[in-house]
Amino acid sequence: MKHQNSKGRALFRTRFGAVAATVGSAVGLGNIWRFPYEAGTHGGGAFLVCCLIFTFLLGIPVVCAEFIIGRGARSNAITAFDRLSHGARFWSVAGYLSVIGSILILGFYSVVAGWTAEYFFESLTGQLNLSSQQEFHAHFAEFCEGNWRPALWTLLFLAVNFAVLMRGVAKGIERISNILMPVLFVILLVFCVNSLTLEGASRGLRFLFKPDWSQLNAGTILAALGQSFFSLSLGIGCMITYASYFSDKANLVQNATVTAVLDSLVALLAGVIIFPAVFTFGVSPEAGPTLVFEVLPSIFAQLPGGMLWSILFFFLLTIASLTSTISMSEISIAFLTDHYKMKRTAATCLNTGIALVLGIACALSFGVLSDFTIAGKTLFNLLDYVASNIIMPLGGVLISVFVGWVIQRKYATDQLTNHGTLRSALAPVVLFSLRWIAPVAILLVFLRSIGLL
Ligand code: TRP
């Protein structure tokens, strides 16, 4: 079976595989860990509505823009900007921004991924057999401050990530996504059914679905834009890289829509799983980042078959994280193999090596390095802030301006319609948004978030 195009570029083998990998990138800790706690602290329904509006109005067009750049240039993000701008210096900066940003994200993301793997392991071996929320709180704090265990799990997680990436695009990334994504959806559905039978289900669902507009403020809107972009892996060249492996026949608008719909669905399902449980057991939905590590396990402990739920939940989080870290790593691996003609193994080693150094430093920033702060932020928070709040929105603006204004409209339309062989009513809408709506909206929200507006 051929999984290269005529120029020797690796390709995903099947349509299903391409979509599974893309959805695998999008669905991750952002949906299952971050969305519920952000929704919890930003008032539930109002936050959800903002996220959905951003995802459909700005998210889908920007995913399409990255697809146009990636499949058009058939290369990593840096070379792609370079090729399509005919070597304009300024635009390769956008490419470098994405490669650097993706490594920073990989650094802190693999720490949380490591936590989920540790919790999966602890559920399996019965060490998570605690009962009250206070006990879980103490347990999580002790684990995070314990230095060597979080560092070890970051390392183990990156080792698995490495093992998949080494095998390449079709045999590594595509194959694992084909298996893990269906498993992920099945587990989510099992949890939903259970959650809906809880006594607090209706209160939980009301919190999630009934917007309380009095909660709407600039902070909520900003958080929602950040969430939508993070969740769709946008603004950082991830979708550019994956699209460079799409076939010439792939329908870009359709792939973007399917990705956005499934990504939103997983976040919704995560909310449907978590909020009924939270309301049933009378805990506050505003717990923040520890919601999933302290509140949920204490709830599982009270359900019949508690440990089993815990095992299943942390397995779900671990696989969701893995398909995401794979996509983050591929951004720089594609760059190293295309640009420097490095062997895939060497590029994967380099990527993993840098991620390890950053990851372990971030893991320790909850322990020995907790007093080491830059601009008042620990390393973990600093990487998260710089990548999620600065590089990603900036990348989003640059990518939409690039496709909306810099490359020719015909080029973009040709990519979206596969040179006129596909009909797409959405293509003109997407291009309109990329010209007039996306860059302005993202820029405004970004300037506001860094305090310039
Ligand atoms: N979208 C993923 C999530 O929701 C995170 C992610 C995967 C990501 N690849 C990325 C974020 C690339 C930024 C860049 O968890």
Side-chain angles (χ1 to χ4, degrees), residues 144-201:
C144 284
E145 289 159 15
N147 297 315
W148 73 269
R149 264 173 47 214
L152 176 71
W153 281 100
T154 305
L155 182 137
L156 288 176
F157 194 90
L158 284 170
V160 177
N161 188 53
F162 174 86
V164 177
L165 282 158
M166 263 248 320
R167 281 166 224 265
V169 174
K171 288 196 186 142
I173 303 177
E174 181 173 3
R175 190 179 284 172
I176 197 114
S177 311
N178 280 342
I179 304 170
L180 294 184
M181 292 325 285
V183 173
L184 179 132
F185 275 91
V186 172
I187 302 182
L188 274 173
L189 288 179
V190 173
F191 267 100
C192 269
V193 171
N194 177 59
S195 212
L196 292 177
T197 59
L198 294 176
E199 167 259 319

Coordinates of all heavy atoms in Angstrom, one line a residue, residues 144-201:
C144 N 2.0 16.1 43.5 CA 2.6 17.1 42.7 C 3.9 17.7 43.3 O 4.8 18.1 42.6 CB 1.6 18.3 42.6 SG 0.4 18.0 41.4
E145 N 3.9 17.8 44.7 CA 5.1 18.4 45.3 C 6.2 17.3 45.5 O 7.3 17.7 46.0 CB 4.7 18.9 46.7 CG 3.8 20.2 46.6 CD 3.0 20.4 47.9 OE1 3.3 19.8 48.9 OE2 2.1 21.3 47.8
G146 N 5.8 16.1 45.1 CA 6.8 15.0 45.4 C 8.0 15.0 44.4 O 8.8 14.1 44.6
N147 N 8.0 15.9 43.5 CA 9.2 16.0 42.5 C 9.4 14.8 41.7 O 9.1 14.8 40.5 CB 10.4 16.4 43.3 CG 10.3 17.7 43.9 OD1 9.8 18.6 43.3 ND2 10.7 17.8 45.2
W148 N 9.9 13.7 42.2 CA 10.4 12.7 41.3 C 9.3 11.9 40.6 O 9.4 11.6 39.4 CB 11.4 11.7 42.0 CG 10.8 10.8 43.0 CD1 10.6 10.9 44.3 CD2 10.3 9.5 42.7 NE1 10.0 9.9 44.8 CE2 9.8 8.9 43.9 CE3 10.1 8.7 41.5 CZ2 9.2 7.7 44.0 CZ3 9.5 7.4 41.6 CH2 9.0 7.0 42.8
R149 N 8.1 11.7 41.3 CA 7.1 11.0 40.6 C 6.5 11.7 39.4 O 6.4 11.2 38.3 CB 6.0 10.5 41.6 CG 6.4 9.1 42.0 CD 5.6 8.5 43.1 NE 4.1 8.7 43.0 CZ 3.3 8.9 44.0 NH1 3.8 8.9 45.2 NH2 2.0 9.0 43.9
P150 N 6.1 13.0 39.6 CA 5.6 13.7 38.4 C 6.6 13.8 37.3 O 6.3 13.6 36.1 CB 5.3 15.1 38.9 CG 5.3 15.0 40.4 CD 6.0 13.8 40.8
A151 N 7.9 13.9 37.7 CA 8.9 14.0 36.6 C 9.0 12.6 35.9 O 9.1 12.6 34.7 CB 10.3 14.4 37.3
L152 N 9.0 11.6 36.7 CA 9.1 10.2 36.1 C 7.9 10.0 35.2 O 8.1 9.5 34.1 CB 9.0 9.2 37.2 CG 9.0 7.7 36.7 CD1 10.4 7.4 36.1 CD2 8.7 6.8 37.9
W153 N 6.7 10.4 35.6 CA 5.5 10.2 34.7 C 5.6 11.0 33.4 O 5.1 10.6 32.4 CB 4.2 10.3 35.5 CG 4.0 9.1 36.3 CD1 4.2 8.9 37.6 CD2 3.5 7.8 35.8 NE1 3.9 7.7 38.0 CE2 3.4 7.0 36.9 CE3 3.1 7.4 34.5 CZ2 3.0 5.6 36.8 CZ3 2.6 6.1 34.4 CH2 2.6 5.2 35.5
T154 N 6.2 12.2 33.5 CA 6.3 13.0 32.3 C 7.3 12.3 31.4 O 7.0 12.2 30.2 CB 7.0 14.4 32.7 OG1 6.2 15.0 33.7 CG2 7.1 15.3 31.5
L155 N 8.3 11.7 31.9 CA 9.3 11.0 31.1 C 8.6 9.7 30.5 O 8.8 9.5 29.3 CB 10.4 10.6 32.0 CG 11.6 9.8 31.3 CD1 12.9 10.4 31.8 CD2 11.6 8.3 31.6
L156 N 7.9 9.0 31.3 CA 7.2 7.8 30.7 C 6.2 8.1 29.6 O 6.2 7.5 28.6 CB 6.5 7.0 31.8 CG 7.3 6.3 32.9 CD1 6.5 5.7 34.0 CD2 8.2 5.3 32.2
F157 N 5.5 9.2 29.9 CA 4.5 9.6 28.9 C 5.2 10.0 27.6 O 4.8 9.6 26.5 CB 3.7 10.8 29.4 CG 2.5 11.0 28.5 CD1 1.3 10.4 28.8 CD2 2.5 11.8 27.4 CE1 0.2 10.5 28.0 CE2 1.4 12.0 26.6 CZ 0.2 11.4 26.9
L158 N 6.3 10.8 27.7 CA 7.0 11.2 26.5 C 7.7 10.0 25.8 O 7.9 10.0 24.6 CB 8.1 12.3 26.8 CG 7.5 13.6 27.1 CD1 8.5 14.6 27.7 CD2 6.9 14.2 25.8
A159 N 8.0 9.0 26.6 CA 8.6 7.8 26.0 C 7.5 7.1 25.1 O 7.9 6.6 23.9 CB 9.1 6.8 27.0
V160 N 6.3 7.0 25.5 CA 5.3 6.4 24.7 C 5.0 7.2 23.5 O 4.9 6.7 22.3 CB 3.9 6.2 25.5 CG1 2.8 5.7 24.7 CG2 4.2 5.3 26.7
N161 N 5.0 8.5 23.7 CA 4.8 9.5 22.6 C 5.9 9.3 21.5 O 5.6 9.2 20.3 CB 4.9 10.9 23.2 CG 4.6 12.0 22.3 OD1 3.5 12.0 21.7 ND2 5.5 12.9 22.1
F162 N 7.1 9.1 22.0 CA 8.3 8.9 21.1 C 8.1 7.6 20.3 O 8.3 7.5 19.1 CB 9.5 8.8 22.0 CG 10.8 8.4 21.3 CD1 11.5 9.4 20.6 CD2 11.2 7.1 21.2 CE1 12.7 9.0 19.9 CE2 12.3 6.7 20.5 CZ 13.1 7.7 19.9
A163 N 7.6 6.5 21.0 CA 7.5 5.2 20.4 C 6.5 5.3 19.2 O 6.7 4.6 18.2 CB 7.1 4.2 21.4
V164 N 5.4 6.0 19.4 CA 4.5 6.1 18.3 C 5.0 7.0 17.1 O 4.9 6.6 16.0 CB 3.1 6.8 18.8 CG1 2.2 7.0 17.7 CG2 2.5 6.0 19.9
L165 N 5.6 8.1 17.5 CA 6.1 9.0 16.5 C 7.2 8.5 15.6 O 7.2 8.7 14.4 CB 6.6 10.3 17.1 CG 5.4 11.2 17.5 CD1 5.8 12.2 18.6 CD2 4.9 12.0 16.3
M166 N 8.0 7.7 16.2 CA 9.1 7.0 15.5 C 8.6 6.2 14.3 O 9.3 6.1 13.3 CB 9.8 6.1 16.4 CG 11.0 6.6 17.1 SD 12.4 5.8 16.5 CE 12.0 4.1 16.4
R167 N 7.5 5.6 14.5 CA 7.0 4.8 13.4 C 6.4 5.5 12.2 O 6.0 4.9 11.2 CB 5.8 3.9 13.9 CG 6.4 2.7 14.7 CD 5.3 2.1 15.5 NE 5.8 1.8 16.9 CZ 6.4 0.7 17.3 NH1 6.3 -0.3 16.5 NH2 6.9 0.6 18.4
G168 N 6.4 6.8 12.3 CA 6.0 7.6 11.1 C 4.5 7.9 11.1 O 3.7 7.7 12.0
V169 N 4.1 8.6 9.9 CA 2.8 9.1 9.8 C 1.7 8.1 9.7 O 0.8 8.1 10.5 CB 2.8 10.1 8.6 CG1 1.4 10.6 8.3 CG2 3.7 11.2 8.8
A170 N 1.9 7.2 8.7 CA 0.8 6.2 8.5 C 0.8 5.1 9.6 O -0.2 4.7 10.2 CB 0.9 5.6 7.1
K171 N 2.0 4.6 9.8 CA 2.1 3.4 10.7 C 2.1 3.8 12.2 O 1.8 3.0 13.0 CB 3.4 2.6 10.4 CG 3.3 1.9 9.1 CD 4.4 0.9 9.1 CE 4.5 0.2 7.7 NZ 5.9 -0.1 7.3
G172 N 2.5 5.0 12.5 CA 2.5 5.5 13.9 C 1.2 6.3 14.2 O 0.3 5.8 14.8
I173 N 1.2 7.5 13.7 CA 0.2 8.5 14.0 C -1.2 8.0 13.6 O -2.2 7.9 14.4 CB 0.4 9.8 13.4 CG1 1.8 10.4 13.8 CG2 -0.7 10.8 13.7 CD1 2.2 11.7 13.1
E174 N -1.3 7.6 12.3 CA -2.6 7.2 11.8 C -3.2 5.9 12.5 O -4.3 5.9 12.9 CB -2.6 7.0 10.3 CG -3.9 6.6 9.7 CD -3.9 6.6 8.2 OE1 -2.8 6.8 7.6 OE2 -5.0 6.4 7.6
R175 N -2.3 4.9 12.6 CA -2.7 3.7 13.2 C -3.2 3.8 14.6 O -4.3 3.3 15.0 CB -1.6 2.6 13.1 CG -2.1 1.3 13.4 CD -1.0 0.3 13.3 NE -0.6 -0.1 12.0 CZ 0.4 -0.9 11.7 NH1 1.2 -1.3 12.6 NH2 0.7 -1.2 10.4
I176 N -2.5 4.5 15.4 CA -2.9 4.7 16.8 C -4.2 5.5 16.9 O -5.0 5.2 17.7 CB -1.7 5.3 17.7 CG1 -2.0 5.0 19.2 CG2 -1.6 6.7 17.5 CD1 -1.0 4.1 19.8
S177 N -4.3 6.5 16.1 CA -5.6 7.3 16.1 C -6.8 6.5 15.7 O -7.8 6.6 16.3 CB -5.5 8.5 15.2 OG -4.3 9.2 15.4
N178 N -6.6 5.6 14.7 CA -7.7 4.7 14.3 C -8.2 3.8 15.4 O -9.3 3.5 15.5 CB -7.2 3.8 13.1 CG -7.2 4.5 11.8 OD1 -7.8 5.5 11.7 ND2 -6.5 4.0 10.8
I179 N -7.3 3.4 16.3 CA -7.7 2.6 17.4 C -8.2 3.4 18.5 O -9.3 3.2 19.1 CB -6.5 1.7 17.9 CG1 -5.9 0.9 16.7 CG2 -6.9 0.8 19.0 CD1 -4.6 0.3 17.1
L180 N -7.5 4.4 18.9 CA -7.8 5.1 20.2 C -9.0 6.0 20.1 O -9.8 6.2 21.0 CB -6.6 6.0 20.7 CG -5.4 5.2 21.1 CD1 -4.3 6.1 21.6 CD2 -5.8 4.1 22.1
M181 N -9.3 6.6 18.9 CA -10.4 7.6 18.8 C -11.8 6.9 19.0 O -12.6 7.3 19.8 CB -10.4 8.4 17.6 CG -9.2 9.4 17.5 SD -8.8 10.1 19.1 CE -10.1 11.3 19.4
P182 N -12.0 5.7 18.3 CA -13.3 5.0 18.6 C -13.4 4.6 20.1 O -14.4 4.8 20.7 CB -13.2 3.8 17.6 CG -12.3 4.2 16.6 CD -11.3 5.1 17.2
V183 N -12.3 4.1 20.6 CA -12.3 3.7 22.0 C -12.7 4.9 22.9 O -13.6 4.8 23.8 CB -10.9 3.2 22.5 CG1 -10.9 2.9 24.0 CG2 -10.5 1.9 21.7
L184 N -12.2 6.0 22.6 CA -12.5 7.2 23.4 C -13.9 7.6 23.4 O -14.6 7.9 24.4 CB -11.6 8.4 22.8 CG -11.8 9.8 23.5 CD1 -10.4 10.3 23.8 CD2 -12.5 10.7 22.6
F185 N -14.5 7.5 22.2 CA -16.0 7.8 22.1 C -16.8 6.8 22.8 O -17.8 7.2 23.5 CB -16.4 8.0 20.6 CG -16.1 9.3 20.1 CD1 -14.9 9.7 19.5 CD2 -17.0 10.4 20.3 CE1 -14.6 10.9 19.0 CE2 -16.8 11.6 19.8 CZ -15.6 11.9 19.2
V186 N -16.5 5.5 22.8 CA -17.2 4.5 23.5 C -17.2 4.8 25.0 O -18.2 4.8 25.7 CB -16.7 3.1 23.2 CG1 -17.4 2.1 24.0 CG2 -17.0 2.8 21.7
I187 N -16.0 5.1 25.5 CA -15.9 5.3 27.0 C -16.7 6.5 27.4 O -17.4 6.5 28.3 CB -14.4 5.5 27.4 CG1 -13.6 4.3 27.0 CG2 -14.3 5.8 28.9 CD1 -12.1 4.4 27.4
L188 N -16.6 7.6 26.5 CA -17.4 8.8 26.8 C -18.9 8.5 26.9 O -19.6 9.0 27.8 CB -17.2 9.8 25.7 CG -16.0 10.7 25.9 CD1 -15.8 11.6 24.6 CD2 -16.1 11.6 27.1
L189 N -19.4 7.7 26.0 CA -20.8 7.4 26.0 C -21.2 6.6 27.3 O -22.2 6.8 27.9 CB -21.2 6.6 24.7 CG -21.2 7.5 23.5 CD1 -21.6 6.7 22.3 CD2 -22.2 8.7 23.7
V190 N -20.3 5.6 27.7 CA -20.6 4.8 28.9 C -20.8 5.8 30.1 O -21.7 5.7 30.9 CB -19.5 3.8 29.1 CG1 -19.7 3.1 30.5 CG2 -19.5 2.8 28.0
F191 N -19.8 6.7 30.2 CA -19.9 7.7 31.3 C -21.1 8.5 31.3 O -21.7 8.8 32.3 CB -18.7 8.6 31.2 CG -17.5 8.1 32.1 CD1 -16.5 7.4 31.5 CD2 -17.6 8.2 33.4 CE1 -15.4 6.9 32.3 CE2 -16.5 7.7 34.2 CZ -15.5 7.1 33.7
C192 N -21.5 9.0 30.0 CA -22.7 9.8 29.9 C -23.9 9.1 30.4 O -24.7 9.7 31.2 CB -22.9 10.2 28.5 SG -22.1 11.6 28.0
V193 N -24.1 7.9 30.0 CA -25.3 7.1 30.4 C -25.3 7.0 31.9 O -26.3 7.3 32.6 CB -25.3 5.7 29.8 CG1 -26.4 4.9 30.4 CG2 -25.4 5.8 28.3
N194 N -24.2 6.8 32.5 CA -24.1 6.7 34.0 C -24.5 8.0 34.6 O -25.3 8.1 35.6 CB -22.8 6.2 34.4 CG -22.6 6.2 35.9 OD1 -23.4 5.5 36.6 ND2 -21.7 6.9 36.5
S195 N -23.9 9.1 34.1 CA -24.1 10.4 34.7 C -25.5 10.8 34.7 O -26.0 11.4 35.6 CB -23.2 11.3 33.9 OG -22.7 12.3 34.8
L196 N -26.2 10.5 33.6 CA -27.5 11.0 33.4 C -28.5 10.3 34.4 O -29.6 10.7 34.6 CB -28.0 10.8 32.0 CG -27.3 11.8 31.0 CD1 -27.7 11.5 29.6 CD2 -27.5 13.2 31.4
T197 N -28.1 9.2 34.9 CA -29.0 8.5 35.9 C -28.8 9.0 37.3 O -29.5 8.6 38.2 CB -28.7 7.0 35.9 OG1 -27.3 6.8 36.3 CG2 -28.9 6.3 34.5
L198 N -27.8 9.9 37.5 CA -27.6 10.4 38.8 C -28.7 11.4 39.2 O -29.3 12.0 38.4 CB -26.2 11.2 38.9 CG -25.0 10.3 38.7 CD1 -23.8 11.2 38.7 CD2 -24.9 9.2 39.8
E199 N -28.9 11.5 40.5 CA -30.0 12.3 41.0 C -29.8 13.8 40.7 O -30.8 14.5 40.5 CB -30.1 11.9 42.5 CG -31.0 12.8 43.4 CD -30.1 13.7 44.2 OE1 -29.0 13.3 44.7 OE2 -30.6 14.9 44.3
G200 N -28.6 14.2 40.7 CA -28.4 15.7 40.4 C -28.3 16.0 38.9 O -27.9 17.1 38.5
A201 N -28.6 15.0 38.0 CA -28.4 15.2 36.6 C -29.1 16.5 36.1 O -28.4 17.3 35.4 CB -28.9 14.0 35.8

